[in-house]
């Protein structure tokens, strides 16, 4: 099977949302939305990869594929939990109202029925797609409650005395909402609450992920239509500090939100708890074109999520940091896993990494990928962070098709998909800078 180091990439063809992210029986399992027939979106399967350390990944083929009426047109996103040594996967199955006679993999009118399903595995690798699937929440027929089409992406977790599930949905007046459920046995689920935000935050909330950190509760969402100026991609991943009451499943929202990543290529993040108790997240990096016509889609570096007050930090996972120990003199000495560039970037300074420009202006980090990105109407060439407050330091992880900039150890992150980077670094920041390669796997 294909292996990846640092960045998990499509093994071929197409991937999008990370699914079922879990540490289970000594391995990190990461499933993902997968179309195995072409490097473009189509009928969704679940691909599967595993890692012992969040650094070295091995693809394991297809885990879930359509077999039932309810998931005939795709196994959409979901999550995983462990109970009594078994792995439980929860996902959304979709069934199109009308099938396109010219292309069965493409929905002709964006109208379909969404059903929440479950499948269980004894070992995390074997899934009985023909006899093991079970409907747990049928499609909604009452528009007053939720949308029959746009209700999906179950995230399940263990609470104090029960299991909980949150679904992303929309209200009858086209506002994003969350649906909360409770279960004692992971099979029978009872509705608890419906939650929305008074201030509009998109018209549908995809991929909800609610979790507790040492500094407080965090909600990650991918709201559809959160940016609505008609000039660029409208759907983006955001995070909010919240207060969550488990008994009532009520949410007190912060007035403000952050983007999970200010490059605005990252979408549909999902988190889990690593073997040492850290909350760790991965997200899908959207790509407008296939690489060499063969594969399209990859994931960001695993990031530790921390909340301090009202701010949410995304830091490089320590295992990834430790992988970059070999100091090098030039990017040409780096291997397939790329390199890390560490430096301080002060006001007015700029650095050019293989055609990708980074500079600091007005306490913001700004980037421009025009020279290493094909022109697309809805894709940003420039991106910028909010004003930074905690220093001048950047750790920049450079892959042939992705650059991730961690500002002040995760105060903000700005990541950009790129094509055709050169190995030349230009610019003269006033301080010293160092290059590190990821050492080969032993």
């Amino acid at each position: 099977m294909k292996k990846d180091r640092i960045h998990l990439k499509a093994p071929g063809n197409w991937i999008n949302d990370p699914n079922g992210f879990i540490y289970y029986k000594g391995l990190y399992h990461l499933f993902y939305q997968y179309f195995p027939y072409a490097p473009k979106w189509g009928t969704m399967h679940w691909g599967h990869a595993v890692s012992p350390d969040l650094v070295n990944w091995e693809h394991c083929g297809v885990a879930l594929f359509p077999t039932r009426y309810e998931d005939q047109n795709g196994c959409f996103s979901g999550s995983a939990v462990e109970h009594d040594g078994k792995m439980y996967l929860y996902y959304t199955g979709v069934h199109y109202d009308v099938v396109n006679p010219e292309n069965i993999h493409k929905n002709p009118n964006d109208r379909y029925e969404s059903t929440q399903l479950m499948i269980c595995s004894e070992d995390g690798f074997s899934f009985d797609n023909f006899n093991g699937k079970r409907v747990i929440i049928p499609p909604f027929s009452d528009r007053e409650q939720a949308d029959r089409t746009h209700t999906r992406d179950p995230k399940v977790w263990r609470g104090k005395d029960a299991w909980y599930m949150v679904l992303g949905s929309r209200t009858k007046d086209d506002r994003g909402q969350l649906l909360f459920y409770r279960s004692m046995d992971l099979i029978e689920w009872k509705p608890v609450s419906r939650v929305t935000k008074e201030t509009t935050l998109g018209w549908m909330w995809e991929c909800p992920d609610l979790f507790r950190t040492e500094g407080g509760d965090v909600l990650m969402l991918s709201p559809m239509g959160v940016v609505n100026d008609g000039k660029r991609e409208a759907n983006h991943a955001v995070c909010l500090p919240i207060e969550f009451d488990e008994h009532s499943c009520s949410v007190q929202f912060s007035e403000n939100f952050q983007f999970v990543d200010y490059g605005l290529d990252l979408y549909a993040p999902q988190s889990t708890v690593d073997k040492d108790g850290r909350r760790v997240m991965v997200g899908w990096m959207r790509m407008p074109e296939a690489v060499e016509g063969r594969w399209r889609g990859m994931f960001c570096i695993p990031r530790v999520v921390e909340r301090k007050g009202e701010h949410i930090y995304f830091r490089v996972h320590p295992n990834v940091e430790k992988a970059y120990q070999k100091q090098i003199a030039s990017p040409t000495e780096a291997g397939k896993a790329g390199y890390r560039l560490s430096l301080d970037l002060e006001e007015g300074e700029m650095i050019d990494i293989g055609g990708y420009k980074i500079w600091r202006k007005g306490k913001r980090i700004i980037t421009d990928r025009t020279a290493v990105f094909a022109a697309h109407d809805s894709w940003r060439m420039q991106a910028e962070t909010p004003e930074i407050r905690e220093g001048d330091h950047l750790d920049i992880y450079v892959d042939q098709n992705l650059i991730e900039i961690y500002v002040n150890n995760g105060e903000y992150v700005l990541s950009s998909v790129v094509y055709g980077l050169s190995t030349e670094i230009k610019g003269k920041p006033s301080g010293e800078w160092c290059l590190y390669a990821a050492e080969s796997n032993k």
Side-chain angles (χ1 to χ4, degrees):
M1 285 292 181
K2 183 177 182 293
K3 295 183 179 182
D4 288 327
R5 184 158 168 81
I6 309 297
H7 290 110
L8 183 64
K9 303 176 180 179
N13 301 307
W14 168 278
I15 66 171
N16 55 284
D17 306 7
N19 299 151
F21 190 22
I22 187 172
Y23 184 69
Y24 173 77
K25 294 186 176 180
L27 289 172
Y28 293 95
H29 291 251
L30 184 58
F31 302 85
Y32 49 83
Q33 294 284 277
Y34 181 43
F35 185 59
Y37 309 122
K40 60 183 179 181
W41 191 92
T43 302
M44 286 292 99
H45 299 47
W46 275 34
H48 184 196
V50 296
S51 172
D53 54 10
L54 297 172
V55 173
N56 301 286
W57 293 94
E58 182 173 0
H59 291 271
C60 303
V62 173
L64 302 185
F65 53 88
T67 55
R68 292 180 57 124
Y69 174 91
E70 293 88 357
D71 67 7
Q72 176 179 324
N73 299 111
C75 302
F76 277 19
S77 290
S79 59
V81 293
E82 179 181 359
H83 181 56
D84 289 340
K86 299 178 183 179
M87 181 189 290
Y88 290 77
L89 300 185
Y90 294 84
Y91 71 99
T92 301
V94 298
H95 185 97
Y96 293 164
D97 291 0
V98 178
V99 175
N100 184 345
E102 301 297 326
N103 182 357
I104 63 171
H105 298 294
K106 186 176 181 180
N107 188 351
N109 57 14
D110 199 37
R111 294 180 61 186
Y112 52 90
E113 194 171 72
S114 294
T115 303
Q116 315 312 318
L117 297 102
M118 179 199 77
I119 188 170
C120 183
S121 172
E122 296 282 348
D123 61 4
F125 290 94
S126 304
F127 299 92
D128 186 352
N129 281 270
F130 291 98
N131 301 300
K133 296 174 179 177
R134 181 174 189 146
V135 172
I136 55 168
I137 301 175
F140 283 88
S141 57
D142 183 359
R143 187 71 171 85
E144 295 287 329
Q145 297 295 313
D147 193 285
R148 72 182 283 269
T149 294
H150 294 293
T151 298
R152 56 181 172 267
D153 309 336
K155 181 64 189 289
V156 178
W157 71 95
R158 179 67 188 179
K160 292 179 181 178
D161 56 3
W163 296 92
Y164 290 85
M165 175 191 295
V166 62
L167 290 169
S169 186
R170 71 170 174 175
T171 65
K172 65 177 181 178
D173 58 349
D174 294 333
R175 299 161 66 88
Q177 71 170 344
L178 303 176
L179 309 179
F180 287 94
Y181 291 79
R182 182 184 289 122
S183 174
M184 302 308 295
D185 60 5
L186 288 171
I187 297 173
E188 301 296 328
W189 293 86
K190 296 182 179 180
V192 182
S193 70
R194 294 187 295 127
V195 174
T196 189
K197 194 174 187 295
E198 292 183 5
T199 304
T200 301
L201 186 65
W203 62 267
M204 191 273 168
W205 289 350
E206 291 197 292
C207 303
D209 193 351
L210 190 157
F211 50 87
R212 180 152 292 170
T213 71
E214 185 176 333
D217 298 327
V218 173
L219 175 65
M220 290 195 304
L221 294 168
S222 292
M224 303 183 76
V226 67
V227 175
N228 194 22
D229 59 11
K231 299 178 181 178
R232 54 195 170 185
E233 172 62 54
N235 310 328
H236 295 288
V238 305
C239 56
L240 304 87
I242 62 165
E243 300 300 325
F244 177 66
D245 180 80
E246 185 174 280
H247 177 72
S248 62
C249 287
S250 59
V251 178
Q252 294 182 21
F253 292 96
S254 169
E255 287 300 312
N256 300 312
F257 67 85
Q258 299 170 219
F259 288 112
V260 171
D261 189 295
Y262 282 83
L264 300 185
D265 288 347
L266 186 149
Y267 195 67
Q270 186 172 107
S271 76
T272 191
V273 176
D274 74 5
K275 71 181 186 67
D276 297 312
R278 306 179 190 92
R279 177 60 57 170
V280 58
M281 176 274 285
V282 293
W284 167 45
M285 302 305 303
R286 297 180 283 203
M287 304 179 75
E289 296 180 354
V291 177
E292 298 176 348
R294 296 184 296 108
W295 65 271
R296 186 175 170 190
M298 60 189 298
F299 298 125
C300 71
I301 285 172
R303 303 173 183 180
V304 176
V305 187
E306 297 177 1
R307 174 181 166 182
K308 291 187 177 180
E310 293 296 292
H311 192 74
I312 299 166
Y313 293 76
F314 295 92
R315 311 187 193 278
V316 176
H317 193 278
N319 291 2
V320 176
E321 283 188 314
K322 291 176 184 176
Y324 288 86
Q325 296 294 322
K326 181 182 178 182
Q327 190 163 350
I328 57 176
S330 166
T332 58
E333 299 177 35
K336 291 183 179 180
Y339 60 92
R340 172 166 62 93
L341 171 61
S342 294
L343 72 155
D344 288 345
L345 196 68
E346 297 182 359
E347 189 72 21
E349 294 184 334
M350 187 271 287
I351 191 164
D352 181 325
I353 301 175
Y356 180 84
K357 297 180 174 61
I358 306 168
W359 67 95
R360 181 171 171 175
K361 180 180 180 182
K363 297 183 179 179
R364 298 174 187 265
I365 300 299
I366 305 173
T367 66
D368 190 316
R369 62 179 170 188
T370 304
V372 287
F373 198 83
H376 293 271
D377 291 341
S378 62
W379 291 76
R380 290 183 172 205
M381 295 299 105
Q382 289 194 358
E384 64 180 59
T385 67
E387 289 191 357
I388 58 177
R389 297 180 174 86
E390 300 184 11
D392 310 321
H393 191 72
L394 305 182
D395 287 295
I396 306 168
Y397 290 80
V398 182
D399 179 276
Q400 188 60 40
N401 291 103
L402 177 62
I403 295 179
E404 300 181 62
I405 305 169
Y406 293 80
V407 182
N408 298 323
N409 190 29
E411 179 185 357
Y412 294 108
V413 187
L414 192 161
S415 305
S416 299
V417 168
V418 292
Y419 297 84
L421 281 180
S422 78
T423 57
E424 186 176 11
I425 298 177
K426 302 177 183 178
K428 295 182 178 180
S430 55
E432 294 183 359
W433 48 275
C434 297
L435 288 172
Y436 300 91
E439 295 181 340
S440 60
N441 186 25
K442 296 179 181 179

